[in-house]
Amino acid sequence: MLTGTNLTYTKAYNFRIVFETIRLQGPISRADVARRTSLTAQTVSNIVNRLLERNFVQEGKKLQKKRGAPSTTLEVNPDGAFSVGLDFNRDHLTGILVDLAGNVKTKIFHEVDTPSPEEAIKLMVSVVRQLTSTPEVGDAYICGVGVGLPGPLDINKNNEVSNTINPKAFPNWNHVPIGKMLKEHIAVPIFIENNASAATIGEKWYGAGKNISNFAYAFFGAGLGGGLVLKGNLYEGQNQNSGEFGYFPFMGEKSPISDSDHPHVGEHFNLTKLYQWLRESDIIVKRPEELGNLFLDKNPVFLNWLQLAKQYLASVFIVTQYMIDIEVIILGGRLPHIIFEDIANDLPGIMTSLRNDFKTPAPIFKCGTAGVDAAALGAATLPIFDLFAAQTDVLIKNNSSKEEAPKK
């Protein structure tokens, strides 16, 4: 249950509490919002009026109760605001436009080949302009543009990136001020995040983690990343790079795909390396969805890779469970859903074989709901999350970056 507070300096927090209650529980009456949040009826009424004025929520059907006049229900207005998400990596740029309810309205996909910062920024700006100039957006409120980038990243308090995209994979991208470069061309707020953390936020806000307070999210992109949600809040860590599961060293023999001086688990999930390794066996794969065909065909080479993947993941996740006693682990990213289902089915048994008898059972594994566009949807969620999420840091006095959503 979401519980509000009537203490001083909590106007913005209560605004978010009411919005999130309507988002999660709607259609819902004002009286039920007050009951669920422990806020006064007058406080809820005032906040709802502001939400209605800004078109963030809308009135729905009337509910007839056993006694008294029927009550008007409230629900999120999908067209009340929009947000743009960009998922960038060296092989692609995906841009999506989402409405306030998380529905993907438009998608633009470009294949790229390790573009320079200048080339990538130019393409990003073009995609943003295309997405926000569609007739359905019109003059609606744009929450902002979220950008998901491969980690680790160095993001300062002003949401500016002194970018540390993997210097080996991106030799020309070390310490590139992406946020500053985008601000020169884009007038709305810009949010930069590790693509795995962005995907975690998207899964928390709209997906499989919507009603889960504590979970780990494993993101399969160019490699293996992830994020942590603890007590309903994204835990980013000291340098905003928590959940870097891919940098775990191999517990046993390293992956046959690994070729670095410091072998790490993420190499096994690097799609470029995987495609090259499969090519050595005359298996040509160019897109993640084609891996699903290999799985369905029971290709022995691919199944060997998959079995090793499960062993490596089990080692990583058993450490995760021992460290934070996590209950749920969500798998998401660019691999086909059918492969995630197979991994989710087998990991509990593998982890049980590694676990000491006195420890708690294996965590519950769930498949993410955003599919291959998890990072893009997560990036699009960043501006919405910043404006509306009932995060506890909103309660900090004079926290200018966590104010109530501005008027249009």
Side-chain angles (χ1 to χ4, degrees), residues 354-374:
L354 299 174
R355 182 180 293 101
N356 289 329
D357 291 340
F358 64 87
K359 297 302 293 183
T360 56
I364 298 169
F365 284 88
K366 293 180 176 289
C367 298
T369 59
V372 297
D373 294 326

Side-chain angles (χ1 to χ4, degrees), residues 83 125 181 187 223 271 287 303 311 322 339:
S83 181
V125 171
M181 294 171 73
L271 293 179
R287 294 178 180 274
L303 292 182
Q311 295 291 335
Y322 284 174
I339 294 177

Side-chain angles (χ1 to χ4, degrees), residues 370-387:
V372 297
D373 294 326
L377 177 60
T381 308
L382 295 175
I384 297 173
F385 193 80
D386 185 77
L387 285 175

Side-chain angles (χ1 to χ4, degrees), residues 214-261:
N214 302 286
F215 68 87
Y217 179 81
F219 177 73
F220 298 77
L224 176 65
L228 296 173
V229 171
L230 303 176
K231 295 184 178 179
N233 298 295
L234 178 71
Y235 177 76
E236 295 185 289
Q238 178 65 29
N239 300 300
Q240 296 180 286
N241 287 297
S242 67
E244 288 288 357
F245 300 126
Y247 286 100
F248 274 62
F250 292 102
M251 300 298 183
E253 292 186 11
K254 72 176 185 178
S255 166
I257 297 176
S258 175
D259 60 2
S260 71
D261 296 332

Side-chain angles (χ1 to χ4, degrees), residues 67-259:
R67 296 181 180 180
S71 59
T72 302
T73 60
L74 301 163
E75 59 192 13
V76 169
N77 177 14
D79 297 327
F82 293 87
S83 181
V84 173
L86 301 176
D87 168 34
F88 173 72
N89 216 309
R90 62 180 179 179
D91 64 339
H92 74 277
L93 172 66
T94 301
I96 63 172
L97 175 76
V98 303
D99 64 22
L100 195 52
N103 302 308
V104 178
K105 311 300 291 186
T106 312
K107 174 182 173 180
I108 297 174
F109 178 82
H110 289 282
E111 288 186 345
V112 298
D113 184 10
T114 318
S116 68
E118 293 74 19
E119 292 171 332
I121 294 297
K122 183 178 180 180
L123 184 59
M124 289 179 187
V125 171
S126 174
V127 169
V128 170
R129 288 174 176 169
Q130 291 178 65
L131 291 171
T132 55
S133 62
T134 57
E136 61 187 334
V137 173
D139 60 355
Y141 183 68
I142 303 295
C143 297
V145 175
V147 184
L149 302 167
L153 303 179
D154 181 12
I155 305 174
N156 68 21
K157 293 181 180 179
N158 295 320
N159 194 42
E160 296 169 344
V161 174
S162 192
N163 194 295
T164 19
I165 291 179
N166 189 330
K168 291 185 178 180
F170 294 84
N172 300 317
W173 281 82
N174 199 23
H175 300 300
V176 174
I178 296 174
K180 181 179 179 180
M181 294 171 73
L182 285 173
K183 287 179 182 178
E184 294 175 357
H185 305 280
I186 299 173
V188 299
I190 296 169
F191 300 83
I192 309 290
E193 187 59 87
N194 177 317
N195 55 12
S197 293
T200 304
I201 291 174
E203 205 65 58
K204 169 60 182 172
W205 193 249
Y206 290 120
K210 191 173 180 179
N211 294 303
I212 302 175
S213 296
N214 302 286
F215 68 87
Y217 179 81
F219 177 73
F220 298 77
L224 176 65
L228 296 173
V229 171
L230 303 176
K231 295 184 178 179
N233 298 295
L234 178 71
Y235 177 76
E236 295 185 289
Q238 178 65 29
N239 300 300
Q240 296 180 286
N241 287 297
S242 67
E244 288 288 357
F245 300 126
Y247 286 100
F248 274 62
F250 292 102
M251 300 298 183
E253 292 186 11
K254 72 176 185 178
S255 166
I257 297 176
S258 175
D259 60 2

Side-chain angles (χ1 to χ4, degrees), residues 295-311:
F295 176 80
L296 292 173
D297 293 339
K298 298 182 180 180
N299 182 280
V301 178
F302 177 73
L303 292 182
N304 177 49
W305 173 88
L306 184 58
Q307 188 58 38
L308 287 172
K310 295 172 186 176
Q311 295 291 335

Side-chain angles (χ1 to χ4, degrees), residues 30-68:
R30 289 168 174 79
D32 284 338
V33 171
R35 278 192 289 270
R36 289 178 181 273
T37 60
S38 298
L39 292 169
T40 67
Q42 186 61 53
T43 297
V44 169
S45 180
N46 291 338
I47 293 173
V48 167
N49 287 339
R50 295 203 299 273
L51 288 168
L52 288 169
E53 178 185 352
R54 302 175 196 189
N55 292 321
F56 295 146
V57 303
Q58 61 189 6
E59 293 184 332
K61 298 179 180 179
K62 291 183 178 293
L63 290 177
Q64 181 62 60
K65 298 185 177 181
K66 293 181 179 180
R67 296 181 180 180

